[in-house]
Amino acid sequence: MFVEKWEKENRNFRKQDVRETSYSTTEIYGEKLFQIQTYGSEGSTAGAKQTIQFDKKRASELIDILRTEFNL
C-alpha cells in the first residue's frame, strides 16, 4: 500500500500487541521509497501481514504529524 495522503480520524483504539516490524528503502526511477513491513504473531510462518510505502513528501508530512502529536 502506497500512502497518498495522511488524514486524521477521530476514533478510539486499543494498544496493539508487540509484533516484529522491519523497514526497507529502495530507489525506483530516481525516487527513493521507504517501506514498513509488519509481521504476524510469533511462530507465524506467513510473510509480511502489512506493507506501507511512502515517498520523501509523505515522509516529511509524517514527521510533521509526529512532531505535532507528540509535542516533539
Side-chain angles (χ1 to χ4, degrees), residues 10-28:
N10 291 319
R11 73 165 52 187
N12 292 323
F13 58 89
R14 65 179 177 82
K15 186 173 180 177
Q16 298 291 315
D17 295 332
V18 173
R19 295 286 189 254
E20 180 183 349
T21 306
S22 62
Y23 73 90
S24 307
T25 60
T26 193
E27 196 169 306
I28 299 175

PDB file of all heavy atoms in Angstrom, residues 10-28:
ATOM      1  N   ASN A  10     -10.830  10.655  14.004  1.00  0.00           N
ATOM      2  CA  ASN A  10     -11.098  10.652  15.447  1.00  0.00           C
ATOM      3  C   ASN A  10     -11.797   9.353  15.804  1.00  0.00           C
ATOM      4  O   ASN A  10     -12.970   9.173  15.507  1.00  0.00           O
ATOM      5  CB  ASN A  10     -11.969  11.851  15.839  1.00  0.00           C
ATOM      6  CG  ASN A  10     -11.220  13.150  15.711  1.00  0.00           C
ATOM      7  OD1 ASN A  10     -10.059  13.230  16.073  1.00  0.00           O
ATOM      8  ND2 ASN A  10     -11.872  14.160  15.177  1.00  0.00           N
ATOM      9  N   ARG A  11     -11.044   8.460  16.398  1.00  0.00           N
ATOM     10  CA  ARG A  11     -11.610   7.181  16.833  1.00  0.00           C
ATOM     11  C   ARG A  11     -10.810   6.665  18.004  1.00  0.00           C
ATOM     12  O   ARG A  11      -9.634   6.960  18.165  1.00  0.00           O
ATOM     13  CB  ARG A  11     -11.654   6.166  15.707  1.00  0.00           C
ATOM     14  CG  ARG A  11     -10.319   5.587  15.322  1.00  0.00           C
ATOM     15  CD  ARG A  11     -10.377   4.361  14.469  1.00  0.00           C
ATOM     16  NE  ARG A  11     -11.201   4.523  13.295  1.00  0.00           N
ATOM     17  CZ  ARG A  11     -11.503   3.547  12.466  1.00  0.00           C
ATOM     18  NH1 ARG A  11     -11.047   2.348  12.677  1.00  0.00           N
ATOM     19  NH2 ARG A  11     -12.247   3.751  11.424  1.00  0.00           N
ATOM     20  N   ASN A  12     -11.466   5.868  18.818  1.00  0.00           N
ATOM     21  CA  ASN A  12     -10.798   5.215  19.936  1.00  0.00           C
ATOM     22  C   ASN A  12     -10.157   3.929  19.435  1.00  0.00           C
ATOM     23  O   ASN A  12     -10.683   3.277  18.536  1.00  0.00           O
ATOM     24  CB  ASN A  12     -11.797   4.893  21.050  1.00  0.00           C
ATOM     25  CG  ASN A  12     -12.321   6.143  21.708  1.00  0.00           C
ATOM     26  OD1 ASN A  12     -11.587   7.104  21.889  1.00  0.00           O
ATOM     27  ND2 ASN A  12     -13.591   6.146  22.053  1.00  0.00           N
ATOM     28  N   PHE A  13      -9.034   3.567  20.021  1.00  0.00           N
ATOM     29  CA  PHE A  13      -8.385   2.301  19.677  1.00  0.00           C
ATOM     30  C   PHE A  13      -7.634   1.801  20.897  1.00  0.00           C
ATOM     31  O   PHE A  13      -7.383   2.541  21.833  1.00  0.00           O
ATOM     32  CB  PHE A  13      -7.468   2.429  18.458  1.00  0.00           C
ATOM     33  CG  PHE A  13      -6.373   3.462  18.602  1.00  0.00           C
ATOM     34  CD1 PHE A  13      -5.149   3.125  19.146  1.00  0.00           C
ATOM     35  CD2 PHE A  13      -6.573   4.761  18.178  1.00  0.00           C
ATOM     36  CE1 PHE A  13      -4.132   4.060  19.272  1.00  0.00           C
ATOM     37  CE2 PHE A  13      -5.565   5.708  18.286  1.00  0.00           C
ATOM     38  CZ  PHE A  13      -4.355   5.356  18.840  1.00  0.00           C
ATOM     39  N   ARG A  14      -7.300   0.525  20.874  1.00  0.00           N
ATOM     40  CA  ARG A  14      -6.562  -0.067  21.982  1.00  0.00           C
ATOM     41  C   ARG A  14      -5.112  -0.259  21.563  1.00  0.00           C
ATOM     42  O   ARG A  14      -4.797  -0.298  20.377  1.00  0.00           O
ATOM     43  CB  ARG A  14      -7.176  -1.401  22.385  1.00  0.00           C
ATOM     44  CG  ARG A  14      -7.091  -2.462  21.317  1.00  0.00           C
ATOM     45  CD  ARG A  14      -7.714  -3.785  21.796  1.00  0.00           C
ATOM     46  NE  ARG A  14      -7.693  -4.770  20.742  1.00  0.00           N
ATOM     47  CZ  ARG A  14      -6.659  -5.528  20.405  1.00  0.00           C
ATOM     48  NH1 ARG A  14      -5.519  -5.421  21.061  1.00  0.00           N
ATOM     49  NH2 ARG A  14      -6.731  -6.412  19.439  1.00  0.00           N
ATOM     50  N   LYS A  15      -4.244  -0.389  22.552  1.00  0.00           N
ATOM     51  CA  LYS A  15      -2.841  -0.645  22.272  1.00  0.00           C
ATOM     52  C   LYS A  15      -2.707  -2.062  21.724  1.00  0.00           C
ATOM     53  O   LYS A  15      -3.256  -3.015  22.287  1.00  0.00           O
ATOM     54  CB  LYS A  15      -2.006  -0.482  23.540  1.00  0.00           C
ATOM     55  CG  LYS A  15      -0.530  -0.582  23.281  1.00  0.00           C
ATOM     56  CD  LYS A  15       0.276  -0.260  24.519  1.00  0.00           C
ATOM     57  CE  LYS A  15       1.753  -0.359  24.222  1.00  0.00           C
ATOM     58  NZ  LYS A  15       2.568   0.009  25.373  1.00  0.00           N
ATOM     59  N   GLN A  16      -2.000  -2.201  20.626  1.00  0.00           N
ATOM     60  CA  GLN A  16      -1.838  -3.484  19.960  1.00  0.00           C
ATOM     61  C   GLN A  16      -0.714  -4.298  20.598  1.00  0.00           C
ATOM     62  O   GLN A  16       0.157  -3.764  21.283  1.00  0.00           O
ATOM     63  CB  GLN A  16      -1.508  -3.258  18.475  1.00  0.00           C
ATOM     64  CG  GLN A  16      -2.603  -2.537  17.714  1.00  0.00           C
ATOM     65  CD  GLN A  16      -3.838  -3.395  17.562  1.00  0.00           C
ATOM     66  OE1 GLN A  16      -3.760  -4.570  17.231  1.00  0.00           O
ATOM     67  NE2 GLN A  16      -4.996  -2.802  17.803  1.00  0.00           N
ATOM     68  N   ASP A  17      -0.737  -5.598  20.352  1.00  0.00           N
ATOM     69  CA  ASP A  17       0.337  -6.471  20.812  1.00  0.00           C
ATOM     70  C   ASP A  17       1.618  -6.150  20.046  1.00  0.00           C
ATOM     71  O   ASP A  17       1.584  -5.676  18.911  1.00  0.00           O
ATOM     72  CB  ASP A  17      -0.022  -7.941  20.550  1.00  0.00           C
ATOM     73  CG  ASP A  17      -1.223  -8.395  21.373  1.00  0.00           C
ATOM     74  OD1 ASP A  17      -1.436  -7.841  22.465  1.00  0.00           O
ATOM     75  OD2 ASP A  17      -1.940  -9.298  20.908  1.00  0.00           O
ATOM     76  N   VAL A  18       2.753  -6.444  20.667  1.00  0.00           N
ATOM     77  CA  VAL A  18       4.043  -6.228  20.039  1.00  0.00           C
ATOM     78  C   VAL A  18       4.225  -7.247  18.916  1.00  0.00           C
ATOM     79  O   VAL A  18       3.951  -8.440  19.099  1.00  0.00           O
ATOM     80  CB  VAL A  18       5.185  -6.357  21.072  1.00  0.00           C
ATOM     81  CG1 VAL A  18       6.542  -6.296  20.396  1.00  0.00           C
ATOM     82  CG2 VAL A  18       5.057  -5.272  22.134  1.00  0.00           C
ATOM     83  N   ARG A  19       4.649  -6.804  17.763  1.00  0.00           N
ATOM     84  CA  ARG A  19       4.905  -7.671  16.613  1.00  0.00           C
ATOM     85  C   ARG A  19       6.241  -7.280  15.997  1.00  0.00           C
ATOM     86  O   ARG A  19       6.695  -6.148  16.115  1.00  0.00           O
ATOM     87  CB  ARG A  19       3.823  -7.521  15.542  1.00  0.00           C
ATOM     88  CG  ARG A  19       2.447  -7.961  15.958  1.00  0.00           C
ATOM     89  CD  ARG A  19       2.384  -9.480  16.015  1.00  0.00           C
ATOM     90  NE  ARG A  19       1.021  -9.942  16.210  1.00  0.00           N
ATOM     91  CZ  ARG A  19       0.561 -10.434  17.338  1.00  0.00           C
ATOM     92  NH1 ARG A  19       1.349 -10.521  18.388  1.00  0.00           N
ATOM     93  NH2 ARG A  19      -0.671 -10.835  17.440  1.00  0.00           N
ATOM     94  N   GLU A  20       6.829  -8.226  15.300  1.00  0.00           N
ATOM     95  CA  GLU A  20       8.064  -7.947  14.564  1.00  0.00           C
ATOM     96  C   GLU A  20       7.754  -6.917  13.478  1.00  0.00           C
ATOM     97  O   GLU A  20       6.735  -7.002  12.791  1.00  0.00           O
ATOM     98  CB  GLU A  20       8.601  -9.227  13.934  1.00  0.00           C
ATOM     99  CG  GLU A  20       9.889  -8.996  13.157  1.00  0.00           C
ATOM    100  CD  GLU A  20      10.389 -10.252  12.465  1.00  0.00           C
ATOM    101  OE1 GLU A  20       9.876 -11.351  12.737  1.00  0.00           O
ATOM    102  OE2 GLU A  20      11.291 -10.112  11.637  1.00  0.00           O
ATOM    103  N   THR A  21       8.642  -5.957  13.342  1.00  0.00           N
ATOM    104  CA  THR A  21       8.496  -4.899  12.338  1.00  0.00           C
ATOM    105  C   THR A  21       9.853  -4.638  11.720  1.00  0.00           C
ATOM    106  O   THR A  21      10.873  -4.653  12.409  1.00  0.00           O
ATOM    107  CB  THR A  21       7.986  -3.596  12.995  1.00  0.00           C
ATOM    108  OG1 THR A  21       6.799  -3.880  13.726  1.00  0.00           O
ATOM    109  CG2 THR A  21       7.689  -2.533  11.966  1.00  0.00           C
ATOM    110  N   SER A  22       9.877  -4.417  10.427  1.00  0.00           N
ATOM    111  CA  SER A  22      11.127  -4.070   9.758  1.00  0.00           C
ATOM    112  C   SER A  22      10.852  -2.957   8.750  1.00  0.00           C
ATOM    113  O   SER A  22       9.698  -2.636   8.462  1.00  0.00           O
ATOM    114  CB  SER A  22      11.720  -5.295   9.051  1.00  0.00           C
ATOM    115  OG  SER A  22      10.837  -5.771   8.052  1.00  0.00           O
ATOM    116  N   TYR A  23      11.932  -2.367   8.261  1.00  0.00           N
ATOM    117  CA  TYR A  23      11.767  -1.358   7.215  1.00  0.00           C
ATOM    118  C   TYR A  23      12.811  -1.574   6.141  1.00  0.00           C
ATOM    119  O   TYR A  23      13.844  -2.196   6.355  1.00  0.00           O
ATOM    120  CB  TYR A  23      11.818   0.061   7.777  1.00  0.00           C
ATOM    121  CG  TYR A  23      13.184   0.538   8.202  1.00  0.00           C
ATOM    122  CD1 TYR A  23      14.020   1.195   7.301  1.00  0.00           C
ATOM    123  CD2 TYR A  23      13.639   0.353   9.495  1.00  0.00           C
ATOM    124  CE1 TYR A  23      15.273   1.647   7.690  1.00  0.00           C
ATOM    125  CE2 TYR A  23      14.882   0.800   9.893  1.00  0.00           C
ATOM    126  CZ  TYR A  23      15.692   1.453   8.984  1.00  0.00           C
ATOM    127  OH  TYR A  23      16.933   1.893   9.365  1.00  0.00           O
ATOM    128  N   SER A  24      12.496  -1.043   4.966  1.00  0.00           N
ATOM    129  CA  SER A  24      13.387  -1.142   3.814  1.00  0.00           C
ATOM    130  C   SER A  24      13.340   0.174   3.055  1.00  0.00           C
ATOM    131  O   SER A  24      12.374   0.923   3.157  1.00  0.00           O
ATOM    132  CB  SER A  24      12.919  -2.241   2.845  1.00  0.00           C
ATOM    133  OG  SER A  24      12.747  -3.456   3.493  1.00  0.00           O
ATOM    134  N   THR A  25      14.375   0.423   2.293  1.00  0.00           N
ATOM    135  CA  THR A  25      14.371   1.556   1.374  1.00  0.00           C
ATOM    136  C   THR A  25      14.829   1.062   0.012  1.00  0.00           C
ATOM    137  O   THR A  25      15.569   0.072  -0.092  1.00  0.00           O
ATOM    138  CB  THR A  25      15.310   2.694   1.838  1.00  0.00           C
ATOM    139  OG1 THR A  25      16.636   2.187   1.927  1.00  0.00           O
ATOM    140  CG2 THR A  25      14.873   3.269   3.181  1.00  0.00           C
ATOM    141  N   THR A  26      14.361   1.739  -1.006  1.00  0.00           N
ATOM    142  CA  THR A  26      14.789   1.424  -2.368  1.00  0.00           C
ATOM    143  C   THR A  26      14.645   2.670  -3.218  1.00  0.00           C
ATOM    144  O   THR A  26      14.012   3.646  -2.801  1.00  0.00           O
ATOM    145  CB  THR A  26      13.977   0.254  -2.964  1.00  0.00           C
ATOM    146  OG1 THR A  26      14.619  -0.206  -4.146  1.00  0.00           O
ATOM    147  CG2 THR A  26      12.554   0.673  -3.291  1.00  0.00           C
ATOM    148  N   GLU A  27      15.224   2.642  -4.371  1.00  0.00           N
ATOM    149  CA  GLU A  27      15.080   3.744  -5.320  1.00  0.00           C
ATOM    150  C   GLU A  27      14.502   3.176  -6.605  1.00  0.00           C
ATOM    151  O   GLU A  27      15.016   2.205  -7.158  1.00  0.00           O
ATOM    152  CB  GLU A  27      16.438   4.399  -5.586  1.00  0.00           C
ATOM    153  CG  GLU A  27      16.305   5.740  -6.239  1.00  0.00           C
ATOM    154  CD  GLU A  27      17.612   6.508  -6.261  1.00  0.00           C
ATOM    155  OE1 GLU A  27      18.211   6.683  -5.186  1.00  0.00           O
ATOM    156  OE2 GLU A  27      18.016   6.911  -7.366  1.00  0.00           O
ATOM    157  N   ILE A  28      13.399   3.777  -7.061  1.00  0.00           N
ATOM    158  CA  ILE A  28      12.742   3.362  -8.292  1.00  0.00           C
ATOM    159  C   ILE A  28      12.615   4.583  -9.186  1.00  0.00           C
ATOM    160  O   ILE A  28      12.011   5.586  -8.785  1.00  0.00           O
ATOM    161  CB  ILE A  28      11.358   2.745  -8.000  1.00  0.00           C
ATOM    162  CG1 ILE A  28      11.505   1.511  -7.109  1.00  0.00           C
ATOM    163  CG2 ILE A  28      10.643   2.391  -9.304  1.00  0.00           C
ATOM    164  CD1 ILE A  28      10.215   0.887  -6.660  1.00  0.00           C
TER     165      ILE A  28
END
